[in-house]
Amino acid sequence: MAQICLGMNAYNTCYAVLAGLCNSSVSRLKNTWAIMPKEVINIYNDLQRTFDVSRNYLTYRTLLLDSLPPLIPILVFYPKDLFGIEENVSTITEEGLISISKLRRIYEIIRPLQEYQSAKNYSIQVDRTVNRFLLHNLHIIDDLHSQSLICEPKPPKTTTNV
């Protein structure tokens, strides 16, 4: 599903699916991961590389720059980037003037979002397979850890005699 989202430039959804797979309730399922087809594991590894946190998500940010709308970027990065500018760049220069470079940096973050919103070629079609999967499996999310333990119970604790 994440690969489908990536192919649709739905980066926000793709990232959310990957985050779900990295959730401890899912990643702890060693036996389940062990029987996954190699092709699926390769896709998962490719997605992890695409959204790697190193260098402030450089691989993803490069992919985003090379992408054409329609697309949905990872929205949580924008407030983080804006907060970083707000906290680290003074609004007033040493000369007592408004910092144009700060305003320019803010604009450089907001401008692409405006471009994505104003794109006229958004005709995203419902992918019935993904839609059906989500609708039939949303209940699992409510109690993911319990579902995880049903799939693969924790091994019994062993005690050591001292």
Side-chain angles (χ1 to χ4, degrees), residues 90-100:
S90 178
T91 303
I92 306 297
T93 66
E94 292 177 6
E95 297 81 22
L97 303 172
I98 295 174
S99 173
I100 299 300

Side-chain angles (χ1 to χ4, degrees), residues 19-20 36 61 77 99 143 157 159:
M36 295 299 291
R61 291 177 188 268
F77 293 165
S99 173
D143 196 10
K157 293 185 178 183
T159 58

Side-chain angles (χ1 to χ4, degrees), residues 8-148:
M8 295 171 60
N9 293 346
Y11 301 120
N12 197 65
T13 307
C14 182
Y15 186 69
V17 171
L18 182 62
L21 292 171
C22 294
N23 180 290
S24 62
S25 295
V26 176
S27 64
R28 67 171 286 283
L29 300 172
K30 304 297 182 208
N31 296 331
T32 303
W33 284 101
I35 61 171
M36 295 299 291
K38 186 171 178 59
E39 177 184 312
V40 172
I41 297 298
N42 289 340
I43 291 169
Y44 174 73
N45 290 334
D46 288 344
L47 289 168
Q48 283 191 309
R49 281 189 291 277
T50 299
F51 298 105
D52 181 59
V53 300
S54 64
R55 299 183 63 200
N56 197 17
Y57 294 90
L58 180 64
T59 305
Y60 159 71
R61 291 177 188 268
T62 302
L63 174 66
L64 183 62
L65 287 173
D66 293 340
S67 299
L68 297 172
L71 63 84
I72 303 170
I74 300 174
L75 299 172
V76 298
F77 293 165
Y78 292 92
K80 178 179 125 339
D81 292 346
L82 291 168
F83 180 79
I85 292 171
E86 181 61 31
E87 289 297 308
N88 297 308
V89 181
S90 178
T91 303
I92 306 297
T93 66
E94 292 177 6
E95 297 81 22
L97 303 172
I98 295 174
S99 173
I100 299 300
S101 66
K102 179 177 181 174
L103 295 175
R104 193 172 284 128
R105 288 178 68 185
I106 291 170
Y107 174 73
E108 288 170 0
I109 292 171
I110 294 173
R111 182 184 46 79
L113 283 174
Q114 291 174 321
E115 289 176 7
Y116 304 147
Q117 288 178 330
S118 65
K120 302 290 186 226
N121 57 346
Y122 279 90
S123 61
I124 298 174
Q125 302 297 315
V126 173
D127 186 308
R128 299 212 185 278
T129 304
V130 173
N131 197 22
R132 192 170 30 256
F133 176 82
L134 290 173
L135 290 174
H136 292 314
N137 291 291
L138 281 177
H139 66 280
I140 294 173
I141 294 171
D142 291 336
D143 196 10
L144 193 57
H145 187 68
S146 295
Q147 294 293 325
S148 173

